[in-house]
């Protein structure tokens, strides 16, 4: 059950993008780019804020934000929860990181891949790495490369009083993630990174968990964006106090430039023609939740084969949803895509063929007609 934070229903809580951060300083930097903020309380105690991002002629993007706290496990868990609750198109993790090489203080790194440097086997003689890697979504990495080629994104940096930071650069490179704070290049982990993740330019504590969560929610595009707040070769608390706010603002500026350009990216991808606006009424969360439960109750859709059959019979719409068995997140993504493109009649027709005698099919079709969608 959703709440608007004041005990009332949050029926209009929708988000095209979700941005996660670990620290308060990162959260504040992201929050500064949003308008019309309101608190949304989800089941099991998760609190999100949902706001609108506007820039120039940009019509506005609904963005949900949440602070996960430090660590890979919490980042992975919140990806799963945010995906199920909001069915967003885009997930970003935005914050600070320690620079390992080839970056300067205040620079921004969009991580094309994140290495888990802690995975391995600790033997009597030595630690034998068994490094795992997750990659950010290809489309977002390519868009990040375009943004990094010029300095236009820097115009979105929200300056603070007395901010004299040099102009930052943007990089699209791998980073590494683990549960330890790496304080120096010559530490045990620093040497391990040199040996096994030599091309990683920065180190964080959440990027791998975030992308691991995105890996099992393939209907969502995901990218890690980090501002460099310290360098492993020269790390101290004074650097953190000064550079964490600066690096957070730089990473947030890059992230919102990426969101601003997302419609241009979407325009290059094949998609079904959108119907007139009058036929694209947005469902409330209550309505969407009821339809999701009915869809998941259709016999057989938990089978990967039946789920893929459903998607195959929905040209254009079906290509935009992960082709796995119908989890709640994937069912939400399919219904949201049907909503965006007015494909309700096509969905009802396909379900009537796949499970014609199922009570859930009949009830779902009846519910669509009651809502004026079928």
């Amino acid at each position: 059950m959703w709440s608007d934070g004041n005990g009332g229903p949050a029926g209009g809580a929708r988000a095209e993008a979700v941005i996660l951060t670990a620290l308060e300083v990162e959260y504040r930097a992201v929050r500064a780019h949003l308008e019309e903020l309101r608190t949304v309380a989800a089941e099991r105690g998760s609190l999100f804020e949902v706001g609108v991002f506007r820039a120039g002629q940009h019509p506005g993007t609904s963005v949900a934000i949440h602070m996960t706290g430090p660590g890979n496990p919490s980042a992975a868990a919140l990806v799963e929860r945010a995906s199920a609750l909001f069915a967003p198109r885009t997930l970003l993790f935005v914050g600070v990181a320690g620079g390992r090489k080839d970056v300067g203080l205040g620079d921004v790194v969009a991580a094309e891949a994140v290495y888990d440097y802690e995975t391995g086997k600790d033997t009597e003689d030595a630690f034998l790495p068994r490094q795992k890697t997750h990659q950010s979504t290809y489309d977002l990495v390519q868009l990040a490369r375009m943004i990094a080629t010029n300095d236009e994104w820097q115009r979105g940096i929200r300056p603070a009083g007395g901010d004299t930071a040099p102009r930052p650069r943007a990089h699209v490179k791998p980073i590494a993630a683990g549960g330890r704070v790496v304080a120096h290049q010559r530490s045990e982990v620093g040497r391990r990174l040199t040996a096994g993740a030599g091309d990683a330019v920065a180190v964080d504590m959440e990027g791998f968990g975030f992308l691991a969560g995105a890996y099992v929610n393939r209907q969502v595009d995901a990218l890690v964006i980090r501002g460099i707040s310290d360098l492993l070769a020269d790390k101290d608390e004074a650097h953190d106090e000064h550079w964490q706010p600066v690096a957070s603002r730089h990473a947030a500026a890059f992230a919102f430039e990426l969101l601003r350009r997302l419609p241009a990216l979407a325009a290059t991808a094949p998609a079904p023609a959108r119907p007139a606006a009058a036929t694209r009424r947005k469902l409330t969360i209550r309505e969407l939740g009821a339809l999701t439960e009915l869809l998941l109750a259709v016999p057989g859709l938990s089978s990967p084969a039946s789920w893929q059959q459903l998607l195959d019979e929905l040209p254009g719409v079906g290509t935009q949803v992960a082709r796995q068995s119908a989890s709640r997140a994937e069912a939400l993504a399919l219904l949201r895509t049907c909503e965006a493109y007015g494909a309700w009649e096509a969905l009802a027709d396909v379900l009537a063929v796949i499970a014609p005698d199922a009570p859930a099919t009949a009830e779902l079709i009846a519910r669509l007609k009651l809502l004026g969608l079928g």
Side-chain angles (χ1 to χ4, degrees):
M1 175 63 67
W2 290 77
S3 165
D4 61 3
N6 299 310
R14 305 292 297 274
E16 298 167 73
V18 174
I19 298 179
L20 302 178
T21 72
L23 307 176
E24 181 181 342
V25 65
E26 303 162 345
Y27 189 87
R28 288 178 178 274
V30 169
R31 195 177 188 272
H33 289 262
L34 299 176
E35 305 172 11
E36 302 174 22
L37 281 154
R38 59 195 180 94
T39 301
V40 172
E43 58 182 342
R44 299 190 297 277
S46 295
L47 291 176
F48 290 81
E49 283 191 290
V50 179
V52 178
F53 166 59
R54 295 188 177 93
Q57 299 301 311
H58 198 278
T61 299
S62 176
V63 180
I65 58 176
H66 181 81
M67 184 164 45
T68 68
N72 281 310
S74 59
L78 265 298
V79 168
E80 181 67 27
R81 186 162 297 181
S83 297
L85 294 176
F86 293 101
R89 171 188 174 188
T90 305
L91 265 168
L92 303 176
F93 205 104
V94 176
V96 301
R100 207 187 136 261
K101 68 169 194 173
D102 302 334
V103 291
L105 292 169
D107 282 1
V108 172
V109 179
E112 61 179 347
V114 181
Y115 307 135
D116 175 14
Y117 63 75
E118 290 192 304
T119 305
K121 183 177 182 180
D122 204 0
T123 71
E124 181 179 358
D125 299 320
F127 178 83
L128 305 178
R130 295 177 177 175
Q131 187 168 279
K132 307 295 184 183
T133 302
H134 278 302
Q135 294 182 309
S136 293
T137 303
Y138 177 81
D139 287 351
L140 294 186
V141 171
Q142 296 307 302
L143 182 56
R145 292 190 193 281
M146 291 178 57
I147 295 170
T149 59
N150 60 64
D151 297 334
E152 185 177 350
W153 67 272
Q154 297 177 6
R155 294 187 298 183
I157 296 174
R158 302 295 173 92
D163 191 347
T164 59
R167 289 167 62 88
R169 298 176 299 158
H171 314 261
V172 183
K173 298 286 186 180
I175 69 172
R180 306 190 197 184
V181 177
V182 186
H184 202 279
Q185 291 276 37
R186 294 192 296 273
S187 67
E188 176 196 350
V189 174
R191 293 192 297 270
R192 188 185 303 170
L193 287 169
T194 300
D199 60 342
V201 299
V203 181
D204 75 7
M205 299 177 68
E206 297 82 26
F208 185 83
F210 170 76
L211 290 184
Y215 178 76
V216 296
N217 291 277
R218 301 300 290 272
Q219 75 280 4
V220 181
D221 292 341
L223 180 68
V224 177
I225 300 172
R226 294 293 187 175
I228 302 302
S229 62
D230 57 73
L231 303 176
L232 300 193
D234 185 20
K235 182 179 177 66
D236 58 39
E237 291 185 6
H239 273 156
D240 286 349
E241 183 176 349
H242 174 74
W243 283 103
Q244 279 192 357
V246 173
S248 296
R249 291 194 295 271
H250 292 179
F254 192 95
F256 281 98
E257 177 66 11
L258 184 138
L259 291 184
R260 186 181 73 83
R261 295 201 192 186
L262 273 179
L265 180 68
T268 66
R274 290 177 179 260
T279 66
R280 298 202 311 268
R281 181 177 73 83
K282 277 197 171 184
L283 298 174
T284 67
I285 284 295
R286 189 181 300 276
E287 292 167 340
L288 188 61
L291 290 176
T292 301
E293 296 302 325
L294 288 172
L295 181 60
L296 291 172
V298 174
L301 285 193
S302 59
S303 160
S306 296
W307 181 248
Q308 290 188 27
Q309 180 186 357
L310 172 63
L311 299 183
D312 288 341
E313 295 299 328
L314 292 170
V317 172
T319 62
Q320 301 184 52
V321 180
R323 306 181 73 79
Q324 303 171 18
S325 58
S327 70
R328 180 174 178 81
E330 288 158 356
L332 273 169
L334 176 59
L335 292 175
R336 189 175 182 190
T337 305
C338 288
E339 176 189 59
Y341 295 106
W344 297 115
E345 290 187 13
L347 175 64
D349 290 344
V350 175
L351 290 174
V353 171
I354 292 177
D357 301 322
T361 298
E363 189 174 347
L364 191 148
I365 293 173
R367 185 70 61 90
L368 290 176
K369 290 180 179 179
L370 183 64
L371 294 171
L373 302 171

